[in-house]
Amino acid sequence: MSLLIKNGKVYQNGILVKKNIFIENEKIRKITSLDLKADKVINAKGKIVLPGLIDCHVHMREPGMTHKEDFFTGSMAAAAGGVTTFLDMPNNLPPTVTVQALEEKRKLAKKSIVNYGFHFGSTINNIQEIKNAKNIASVKIYMDYTTGDLKIDDFDVLKRIFSSAKIASVHAENENVLNAINLIKEAKNGIYICHISSKEELHYARKSKIKNVYVETTPHHLFLTAEALNEMGAFAEMKPHLKTKKDKEALWEGIYNNKIDTIATDHAPHLKEEKMEINYPYGVPGLETMLPLLLNAINDKKLTLKKLVGLCCENPARIFKIKNKGFIKEGFDADLAIIDMELEKEVENDRLMTKCRWSPFDGWRLKGWPIASIVNGNAVFEHGKAHNIRAREVSYNV
Ligand code: DOR
Ligand code: ZN
Ligand code: ZN
C-alpha cells in the first residue's frame, strides 16, 4: 500500500515547505516536489501537515474501567485529535505494576487504531517487576492521592524506585515537586514531572540545575482556571486542581521561556453520571480538544506552530526516546496530522468519540482543527470518521 499526500505545506525543520509526502510500507519514503504515483492520494492543498502528536499522558481505562473508556474508543478520540501515538498510564484495575499485568494490557491494546506505549506503575515492593518489565516508556510514581491506589509516601522507598528507573514520570503536587527533584538528584536518572499546574510547581521544577528534569503541563491548566468550577463543578475537577489566572499565565510564560517541555492531555475520562455523584472521581477527557485548543491559540497569536510541534511531537519523542517518531523525515514512521488552520467550529459533547462523551471545553468555538490523521501510513481519521485499522506498540532507542 502506498499513499501520496499532495500539495500540503509540510512542517520540516521548523518551517513549512510545499512538498508531497510519499508513503510506502508504513514509512515516509520521499518528501518531494515530484508527483509520484500511489494507491491512494490525499489532496492537502491549503492544509498543513504536521508530525502526528505524541500524547505522553493518557488513561485509557483498560483493564478494569472500560465503562469509561477502552483502547478502541480512546484511540478513536486520539485519532480525531491528531494524536497518532499515546503513552498509557498504569492506574488500572488491576494496576500495571507486574510484568503479567503489562502483558495482559499489551493484548488489550491491540485494538487501538493509533500507536501506543506504556508507563509502568510502582508500588512499595515491585522493584523486581520494574527491572523485568520490557519496552516501557517510564516508571510512573504517584506521590499524591488520585484515581487508583498507587500513592507512595515513604521517601526511602521512593528513592529506591527513582534509582531503578532510567526515567520516572511522577504525579507530584505542590511541594512534592521539590521533594521529587531532591529524590532524583541522588539517583541521577531522568524525571518527567507530570501536569505542572501552578507558578509554584513550575518554580520548584526548575529551581535545581540538574539535567534530565522534564516538565509537562496540560491543556486544562493552560486554558481554564478554578473559576470554571463555579459553572462546571465536578466536571472541572481533576488532580492537580485548576489554579488561578496568575498560575495559568505563569504556565504560558513557561512555554515562552522553554521551561515547559511537553503538553499532554492527561486524558482521564469518567462518565457524566459518575461526575454527578457526591464522591465524584477526578479527571477530564482531553484527547480530542488539545490540538484544536492549541491551533486556536496559534490563530490568536498566543503560540507558534514551531512551539506546538516541539511540545507535542518532537520533545515527547526525545524525552521517552521513541523510535522513528515525532518528526517528518524520510525513513521515519508515517504518522501525520493534517490540519486546517481556517476551519472554525464548536467543541460539541455529542460529537466526541471518547466513551464518556463530554468535555470541559464543550461549546468553545475554536479556529484550527485536525482534519485527517495518518497512522503507519493509514488514514485512520478522515472526513470526520475514524477507521478501524489496528496500530502497534512503539519501541524505544536504548
Ligand atoms: O485528575 C486526574 N485523573 N488526575 C490523575 O492523576 C489521575 C486521573 C485519573 O486516572 O482519573
Ligand atoms: Zn497525575
Ligand atoms: Zn494522569
Side-chain angles (χ1 to χ4, degrees):
M1 242 300 270
S2 59
L3 169 68
L4 187 72
I5 301 174
K6 251 169 79 152
N7 304 327
K9 286 174 273 176
V10 178
Y11 184 92
Q12 239 194 335
N13 306 320
I15 54 166
L16 294 174
V17 286
K18 211 161 170 228
K19 286 272 164 91
N20 302 330
I21 304 178
F22 180 73
I23 296 164
E24 200 177 35
N25 297 333
E26 310 192 352
K27 303 275 182 203
I28 299 169
R29 287 288 168 220
K30 278 257 166 298
I31 301 164
T32 172
S33 302
L34 299 175
D35 194 4
L36 299 177
K37 267 212 158 20
D39 300 325
K40 177 179 161 111
V41 176
I42 293 179
N43 189 352
K45 194 169 165 44
K47 314 292 189 287
I48 293 173
V49 188
L50 299 180
L53 275 66
I54 300 174
D55 187 345
C56 308
H57 189 154
V58 309
H59 300 266
M60 289 307 197
R61 305 299 189 206
E62 217 174 338
M65 291 181 281
T66 50
H67 61 290
K68 300 175 197 268
E69 194 79 285
D70 60 51
F71 280 110
F72 182 56
T73 55
S75 67
M76 285 198 287
V83 171
T84 55
T85 298
F86 64 84
L87 301 180
D88 188 47
M89 286 296 171
N91 58 335
N92 303 101
L93 291 174
T96 319
V97 295
T98 62
V99 170
Q100 196 198 339
L102 177 63
E103 295 309 327
E104 288 298 317
K105 193 191 255 192
R106 280 206 160 105
K107 286 185 208 148
L108 297 167
K110 285 189 191 300
K111 54 185 167 298
S112 176
I113 67 163
V114 304
N115 297 316
Y116 50 89
F118 306 105
H119 297 286
F120 194 77
S122 55
T123 69
I124 53 169
N125 55 11
N126 78 333
I127 295 270
Q128 200 50 47
E129 298 287 335
I130 290 175
K131 287 186 180 152
N132 292 343
K134 298 251 162 37
N135 207 51
I136 54 171
S138 84
V139 172
K140 178 74 185 277
I141 300 174
Y142 288 91
M143 291 176 66
D144 284 281
Y145 170 76
T146 182
T147 306
D149 192 17
L150 292 170
K151 179 169 179 267
I152 299 174
D153 295 311
D154 186 323
F155 276 27
D156 289 325
V157 173
L158 286 167
K159 218 184 276 178
R160 277 205 297 279
I161 302 168
F162 273 120
S163 40
S164 73
K166 271 196 206 125
I167 179 151
S169 301
V170 59
H171 178 128
E173 300 187 30
N174 309 315
E175 58 283 357
N176 262 345
V177 172
L178 196 56
N179 293 334
I181 304 250
N182 286 332
L183 290 165
I184 200 86
K185 239 184 223 165
E186 291 166 43
K188 295 199 175 64
N189 294 348
I191 182 169
Y192 179 82
I193 305 174
C194 296
H195 45 48
I196 285 284
S197 67
S198 68
K199 186 174 178 173
E200 184 194 38
E201 288 177 352
L202 184 57
H203 172 70
Y204 287 150
R206 288 303 180 204
K207 211 170 138 184
S208 90
K209 292 278 170 284
I210 56 166
K211 281 195 301 184
N212 303 342
V213 176
Y214 307 104
V215 173
E216 169 196 281
T217 192
T218 73
H220 42 273
H221 293 109
L222 285 170
F223 291 98
L224 299 172
T225 65
E227 272 181 38
L229 290 162
N230 300 333
E231 202 187 311
M232 289 192 268
F235 291 90
E237 286 278 19
M238 75 294 290
K239 292 275 284 163
H241 298 291
L242 294 172
K243 304 282 165 29
T244 65
K245 187 161 174 251
K246 218 170 107 199
D247 290 305
K248 189 175 90 168
E249 279 161 8
L251 298 179
W252 280 102
E253 201 57 44
I255 284 181
Y256 305 139
N257 303 335
N258 301 320
K259 290 193 169 155
I260 290 177
D261 301 293
T262 69
I263 303 176
T265 61
D266 198 0
H267 180 78
H270 298 284
L271 296 190
K272 286 181 194 160
E273 302 85 77
E274 296 171 321
K275 280 290 198 181
M276 288 188 296
E277 286 162 13
I278 294 172
N279 284 320
Y280 56 79
Y282 294 109
V284 296
L287 276 165
E288 281 154 279
T289 44
M290 172 163 73
L291 184 53
L293 284 165
L294 296 175
L295 295 176
N296 188 70
I298 291 175
N299 274 321
D300 282 348
K301 307 271 182 286
K302 256 192 106 149
L303 191 70
T304 62
L305 200 56
K306 189 169 180 185
K307 277 274 178 209
L308 186 157
V309 172
L311 291 157
C312 299
C313 313
E314 297 173 352
N315 294 347
R318 275 195 204 110
I319 295 168
F320 294 103
K321 301 189 165 59
I322 302 169
K323 242 187 211 164
N324 294 337
K325 298 200 187 289
F327 298 81
I328 302 183
K329 265 194 209 169
E330 290 178 2
F332 266 47
D333 296 341
D335 293 352
L336 305 164
I338 304 177
I339 60 170
D340 181 349
M341 288 304 289
E342 301 304 316
L343 179 62
E344 205 176 327
K345 59 176 183 169
E346 265 180 32
V347 177
E348 284 178 79
N349 280 351
D350 292 342
R351 296 185 145 216
L352 295 174
M353 298 201 186
T354 170
K355 210 181 262 187
C356 73
R357 291 188 126 227
W358 64 272
S359 160
F361 302 104
D362 177 50
W364 284 38
R365 194 165 183 81
L366 302 173
K367 185 173 174 188
W369 285 81
I371 54 157
S373 294
I374 314 297
V375 173
N376 307 323
N378 299 308
V380 297
F381 175 75
E382 211 186 353
H383 310 302
K385 287 203 173 66
H387 300 289
N388 190 358
I389 303 167
R390 288 181 168 202
R392 64 176 81 249
E393 187 177 350
V394 301
S395 0
Y396 309 89
N397 295 309
V398 277

